[in-house]
Amino acid sequence: MGLSLLKTTINAGSYKVPDPTQVIKDTYHFRHLLHRFAKHVTVEETLSEQEEEFLKKLGSDCATYLNMKAHDSCHYSQVVATLTDILKKSGLPQVSENCPVKSPKEHLLLHVGTEVYKVCPDPDALLPYLIKDNPLLPVVHNHRVKMDINTAEGEEWISTGLYLSPGMKTFMAIPAEIVNKGWQIQIGCQTDHLNAAELKRAPRVHERFPVTSEMIQVWNLWGGLIYLVAPPKTQAQGLQVVVQMAVPAPYYKSGVTTEADWSLLRMAPSPWAELEFDNIILTVPSEAVRQLEHPNELAALWNDIMKAIADLAAKPHEFPRKERFVADVQISHGWMHAGYPIMAHKASAEGLVSVTHARTKGMWGAIHELGHNQQRGCWEFPSHTTECTCNLWSVYVHEVVFDINREKAHPAMTLEERNKRVKDYIKGGRNLSSWSVWVALETYMQLQEKFGWDAIKKVFTAYHEMNSFPNDNKGKMNLYAETFSQTVGMNLTGFFKAWGWPIEQATEEKLSSLPAWTDHPMV
């Protein structure tokens, strides 16, 4: 008997034990279904409707099973051999934006292909069945990557400016002082795991290797940019890593890459490019930068954007960790989502790397996500403000950096739309259940229009100096009302109550000595 501990859970309840002597077509059984699927692929036996439905789960379970790497088990070896045969017979769906994967069978193959490639005895022999179009790209040899590292709370990806083609292997020589210190090597910039009915790429396309020796061989079935991943709170100067063989990528780094260097580098053969500025790194498909002649102008713009983001957050201009953007063919959720890196769809890449686009059309979505990364739990009231306060940065950057008025920065910010939202909110009884996103933003916009951006910066500064905060929304909202009132020297409790905030009598008493804001917009 084997026991496997998984991250997933099953629903509480009473489950009937299946009879192992029965061939059960309507009950999920891992080995039985795998055997049936192998026959489906090799001798084209038809699967039942129920078995078709189980294929997605089978793919996920196969991936989990293969991750055990129990090479000394005959059962494990049998499963690896079965899946290898299936992949050699059927091949891997050549998934892409123009050739998406939808069927349960293709889902399964795509899911297990990556894992089988990692654990099968001869991955090189399997590779041609998995990746059909894999052109040989020009390479550089023994490329040296120099690094100075000073990480804060989170791990940090260090770009190498190099790319590995699908299945391509290389050795990396690592300095002894970072071996077994929590460092990793990452191949691939797209770390989102997909769980979608229609796939435009494989569900998981990056690989990580722990740095446990001074010479490490790395590869990834799907290829990808090469990164060193530094652990949190790490300081090191003058580190040097040598990459035996890799494909050069279009890689620009402010203060290092000259315009003359870039004129050649932007045509480098890697399908992925990176632009590293003072406080942000943009990872985009290479076609987005082939025509970019003056990266220094784009660097100056992004430096202004990031300074503005820091200014509004009342933080130093130098970020403790550079933000990252990755524009990919498909991401795990939304049009973009925050995090490290911020993930965006490929269509956003052009807007991220064009100064003209930014200054004429803005980039509301990108700044919205950078705003998400500035949000703090102590002045956030989830779920009301989750998609609201991040937009303060969008408004601020558009007006201060792009010189685009808030009315033109987003269709929802026209005066007509804003007024309509407030009227509808009041008609609805000023109910906090509908105080979210654009409606909630209006509260902050009214404060900004009365007291200016400096007041909001001073409020954020005050929060930086506090040590303890309430955990509940009611407590946090009272603290915010009190902090803003004291910052501007005016009692704002009437304003917040007019918005339906649960202002307590104790808060009103604390602020009673301040002059009241009696002519606020909600009167």
Side-chain angles (χ1 to χ4, degrees):
M1 179 179 175
L3 181 66
S4 176
L5 301 181
L6 307 181
K7 294 175 184 174
T8 45
T9 57
I10 58 172
N11 294 325
S14 174
Y15 291 85
K16 186 179 177 184
V17 179
D19 180 351
T21 62
Q22 302 280 316
V23 176
I24 314 157
K25 287 198 173 184
D26 294 333
T27 307
Y28 179 83
H29 185 284
F30 177 67
R31 290 295 294 266
H32 172 68
L33 187 59
L34 182 57
H35 177 70
R36 291 276 302 132
F37 182 69
K39 280 196 163 184
H40 170 65
V41 171
T42 53
V43 295
E44 299 185 357
E45 272 194 14
T46 308
L47 295 176
S48 71
E49 202 173 304
Q50 184 66 70
E51 286 173 323
E52 285 264 358
E53 281 183 29
F54 284 145
L55 288 184
K56 190 176 180 185
K57 176 172 167 53
L58 180 65
S60 173
D61 285 352
C62 282
T64 305
Y65 185 85
L66 292 168
N67 268 314
M68 292 194 290
K69 299 182 174 67
H71 294 287
D72 55 348
S73 158
C74 64
H75 301 293
Y76 183 85
S77 302
Q78 283 173 3
V79 171
V80 172
T82 301
L83 288 169
T84 304
D85 288 344
I86 288 171
L87 287 164
K88 283 185 173 178
K89 177 73 177 172
S90 67
L92 201 63
Q94 300 303 292
V95 62
S96 69
E97 190 172 17
N98 299 323
C99 188
V101 158
K102 298 176 187 176
S103 75
K105 175 184 171 179
E106 290 190 318
H107 262 264
L108 189 156
L109 292 168
L110 207 49
H111 215 97
V112 300
T114 312
E115 305 303 325
V116 173
Y117 179 74
K118 285 191 282 188
V119 298
C120 72
D122 190 357
D124 292 341
L126 185 59
L127 185 63
Y129 297 94
L130 305 181
I131 306 289
K132 296 289 196 297
D133 182 21
N134 197 8
L136 280 173
L137 299 177
V139 297
V140 290
H141 293 275
N142 298 322
H143 185 89
R144 295 177 186 275
V145 180
K146 294 176 182 174
M147 304 176 292
D148 292 326
I149 305 300
N150 185 7
T151 62
E153 293 301 315
E155 67 175 29
E156 198 165 316
W157 303 1
I158 294 106
S159 303
T160 63
L162 299 171
Y163 168 84
L164 286 182
S165 296
M168 179 181 174
K169 295 178 177 177
T170 194
F171 281 96
M172 292 178 68
I174 308 290
E177 62 260 46
I178 69 170
V179 173
N180 290 320
K181 295 284 173 63
W183 285 67
Q184 297 176 88
I185 297 162
Q186 177 174 304
I187 313 298
C189 58
Q190 314 117 295
T191 49
D192 265 9
H193 290 206
L194 303 182
N195 182 22
E198 180 176 299
L199 294 172
K200 295 177 183 176
R201 66 161 171 85
R204 185 178 179 278
V205 289
H206 77 288
E207 285 298 333
R208 280 194 171 186
F209 299 82
V211 174
T212 54
S213 65
E214 291 180 47
M215 187 65 73
I216 299 175
Q217 190 179 38
V218 296
W219 66 93
N220 180 6
L221 172 62
W222 304 104
L225 292 170
I226 305 174
Y227 300 93
L228 271 294
V229 182
K233 298 181 181 175
T234 298
Q235 290 184 319
Q237 299 294 312
L239 292 178
Q240 187 169 274
V241 170
V242 182
V243 182
Q244 175 207 28
M245 180 177 71
V247 177
Y251 174 51
Y252 174 90
K253 186 171 183 178
S254 291
V256 176
T257 314
T258 65
E259 279 218 7
D261 293 337
W262 178 247
S263 65
L264 297 172
L265 265 176
R266 67 186 166 126
M267 304 313 291
S270 156
W272 286 97
E274 288 200 314
L275 304 167
E276 181 168 349
F277 306 137
D278 289 356
N279 282 305
I280 195 165
I281 302 163
L282 309 175
T283 308
V284 295
S286 292
E287 61 259 29
V289 303
R290 299 288 190 213
Q291 306 302 317
L292 178 65
E293 293 182 355
H294 304 292
N296 55 325
E297 292 175 7
L298 184 65
L301 176 70
W302 272 105
N303 289 348
D304 288 345
I305 292 169
M306 300 309 286
K307 279 177 187 170
I309 283 167
D311 283 341
L312 184 58
K315 290 180 178 177
H317 282 172
E318 187 177 342
F319 280 53
R321 173 176 73 176
K322 294 184 183 186
E323 295 278 20
R324 277 186 175 274
F325 260 97
V326 173
D328 190 13
V329 67
Q330 189 173 7
I331 65 177
S332 59
H333 58 275
W335 180 245
M336 295 186 183
H337 68 77
Y340 183 85
I342 294 167
M343 294 296 301
H345 281 269
K346 198 171 78 167
S348 306
E350 186 187 348
L352 294 174
V353 300
S354 166
V355 174
T356 306
H357 187 283
R359 294 209 176 277
T360 54
K361 298 181 181 175
M363 51 170 90
W364 185 279
I367 310 301
H368 170 101
E369 301 306 338
L370 287 164
H372 269 308
N373 283 358
Q374 293 302 320
Q375 287 174 319
R376 291 187 64 202
C378 51
W379 46 257
E380 273 291 293
F381 320 126
S383 60
H384 304 293
T385 55
T386 307
E387 293 299 327
C388 154
T389 49
C390 50
N391 286 326
L392 290 171
W393 277 267
S394 291
V395 177
Y396 183 73
V397 169
H398 278 73
E399 295 193 339
V400 171
V401 180
F402 304 148
D403 200 24
I404 298 174
N405 183 276
R406 64 193 63 181
E407 280 211 49
K408 293 179 180 170
H410 193 284
M413 290 301 291
T414 63
L415 201 56
E416 185 183 356
E417 283 294 312
R418 290 177 59 192
N419 288 337
K420 182 180 182 301
R421 280 197 296 272
V422 176
K423 283 176 183 170
D424 289 348
Y425 182 70
I426 292 168
K427 274 183 197 167
R430 306 171 199 250
N431 195 329
L432 270 187
S433 62
S434 55
W435 186 76
S436 63
V437 195
W438 298 107
V439 176
L441 183 63
E442 199 52 38
T443 305
Y444 296 91
M445 288 290 92
Q446 290 178 356
L447 288 167
Q448 188 277 326
E449 284 165 354
K450 168 69 175 176
F451 301 105
W453 287 114
D454 275 355
I456 292 174
K457 293 174 190 177
K458 284 173 184 171
V459 169
F460 288 146
T461 302
Y463 272 93
H464 292 318
E465 292 162 2
M466 292 182 206
N467 296 317
S468 60
F469 309 98
N471 292 319
D472 62 303
N473 276 355
K474 185 177 181 182
K476 289 195 286 186
M477 291 169 106
N478 275 274
L479 177 61
Y480 191 88
E482 183 186 332
T483 306
F484 213 115
S485 294
Q486 288 173 342
T487 299
V488 299
M490 187 176 276
N491 183 348
L492 307 180
T493 54
F495 168 75
F496 287 113
K497 283 170 77 175
W499 270 105
W501 282 31
I503 301 299
E504 294 171 331
Q505 194 174 344
T507 305
E508 294 187 68
E509 287 169 5
K510 272 188 202 171
L511 302 169
S512 58
S513 61
L514 295 174
W517 186 16
T518 53
D519 60 345
H520 60 75
M522 298 299 281
V523 171

